[in-house]
Amino acid sequence: MNIVLITGASSGMGVEFALQLDNVFQNMDEIWMIARRKKELLEVAQHLEHTTRVLDMDLTKKEPIERLKKLLAEEKPVIRMLVNCAGYGILGDFFDSNISDELGMIEVNCKALTQMTYLCLPYMRKNSRVIQLASSAAFLPQPNFAVYAATKSYVYSFSRALNQELRRKKIYVTAVCPGPVDTPFFDIAERTGSTLAVKKLTLVRADQVVEQAIKDSYYKRERSVYGIWMRSFEILAKIIPHRVLLEGMRFLK
């Protein structure tokens, strides 16, 4: 049985990946969607042509991970694509933040993603793909978004290294590094702070980012950066000292 497995599939980018991959893959048996909210997962499943398996799980908890491990061992699917979209961000000064929220970002954005990748790799074969949702925040430290940016730097670095390790098995990993995307992400992020106005000016649609990500994954590219603004930002973060850019961000703030 050939499957696509998507985490964070109940909203935002995860939903968009489910919708587009449903159209892209014609020889896939099932799409497995994982998120905490079963109701939202079932609503997404109604729009998909493929047979869909809804798995309402909190990937930061031990019991759901064990349940998924057991399910994989019993079903023995071939995972043709793993898409790790589960994650969230919280804006605001670290000192004034809720430490549970900050640690939660590390749990979901880093630990759960790493564990899911490790869990799924034994079921991947030649030409399987892994898509990891990083962020353009991975390119530069982000004051008022410090932990989130650090978690995405981890995802970006981990994904690029893993891509090199797995190439001999002909399994390819793509880190997706979008800028601001028009999803419910900011509804959560801005509960404790506000983002730079310039970031809102570079807002793009989720379907555009996902379409580019699927294309870059198909061509075995190690990263996917959508749009001229974010590609320019990536270049600036490479050639200009970070302290200069950070001073500029402080001035804009």
Side-chain angles (χ1 to χ4, degrees):
M1 176 173 64
N2 291 306
I3 72 166
V4 170
L5 195 156
I6 305 170
T7 72
S10 63
S11 66
M13 299 287 283
V15 172
E16 192 59 46
F17 269 108
L19 294 172
Q20 291 199 30
L21 291 172
D22 185 51
N23 290 324
V24 168
F25 287 113
Q26 303 303 319
N27 60 342
M28 203 62 53
D29 296 302
E30 292 186 1
I31 295 177
W32 291 16
M33 300 193 304
I34 297 177
R36 290 178 299 170
R37 297 174 294 180
K38 186 174 183 178
K39 179 182 176 183
E40 284 81 354
L41 285 173
L42 291 171
E43 289 174 356
V44 176
Q46 292 177 0
H47 298 283
L48 304 183
E49 295 293 329
H50 282 83
T51 299
T52 305
R53 194 171 306 205
V54 166
L55 304 170
D56 54 317
M57 296 179 173
D58 183 344
L59 296 176
T60 66
K61 308 295 185 185
K62 183 178 180 180
E63 188 276 331
I65 289 292
E66 291 300 319
R67 182 156 52 101
L68 180 59
K69 185 186 295 186
K70 182 179 179 182
L71 179 62
L72 288 170
E74 291 173 351
E75 298 277 343
K76 294 182 173 57
V78 175
I79 301 176
R80 303 306 306 180
M81 180 174 280
L82 167 66
V83 184
N84 273 315
C85 286
Y88 71 93
I90 297 291
L91 280 158
D93 288 342
F94 177 74
F95 181 74
D96 297 323
S97 66
N98 181 316
I99 190 60
S100 295
D101 290 338
E102 301 291 341
L103 293 175
M105 278 189 280
I106 299 172
E107 285 286 323
V108 179
N109 299 359
C110 299
K111 185 177 177 180
L113 176 141
T114 305
Q115 190 155 32
M116 278 299 301
T117 305
Y118 187 82
L119 198 62
C120 291
L121 280 176
Y123 299 94
M124 306 188 88
R125 301 294 180 264
K126 177 182 176 181
N127 286 323
S128 288
R129 300 290 200 276
V130 180
I131 292 179
Q132 312 277 42
L133 198 66
S135 169
S136 61
F139 303 148
L140 180 72
Q142 304 274 313
N144 305 114
F145 220 7
V147 173
Y148 175 78
T151 65
K152 292 305 182 178
S153 292
Y154 169 85
V155 174
Y156 184 50
S157 177
F158 169 63
S159 301
R160 294 178 67 196
L162 189 62
N163 182 54
Q164 292 301 316
E165 288 184 21
L166 295 175
R167 291 186 80 85
R168 59 188 171 82
K169 297 180 181 291
K170 293 184 166 39
I171 298 172
Y172 304 97
V173 184
T174 299
V176 183
C177 301
V181 182
D182 189 9
T183 69
F185 176 86
F186 283 106
D187 295 342
I188 298 173
E190 293 192 319
R191 287 176 187 169
T192 53
S194 59
T195 190
L196 293 175
V198 67
K199 289 188 177 182
K200 293 294 185 69
L201 293 175
T202 62
L203 201 67
V204 297
R205 300 199 317 264
D207 64 299
Q208 297 171 320
V209 175
V210 170
E211 182 179 358
Q212 183 67 52
I214 293 172
K215 184 186 297 182
D216 288 333
S217 176
Y218 175 80
Y219 286 113
K220 307 172 186 175
R221 293 169 182 152
E222 72 168 17
R223 71 187 187 285
S224 179
V225 182
Y226 175 81
I228 189 169
W229 288 108
M230 289 308 110
R231 287 197 291 270
S232 299
F233 175 60
E234 181 186 17
I235 293 169
L236 284 175
K238 288 179 178 178
I239 64 176
I240 297 177
H242 283 186
R243 60 179 176 77
V244 175
L245 292 173
L246 291 171
E247 280 297 312
M249 290 170 68
R250 188 171 66 85
F251 175 77
L252 289 172
K253 191 71 175 179

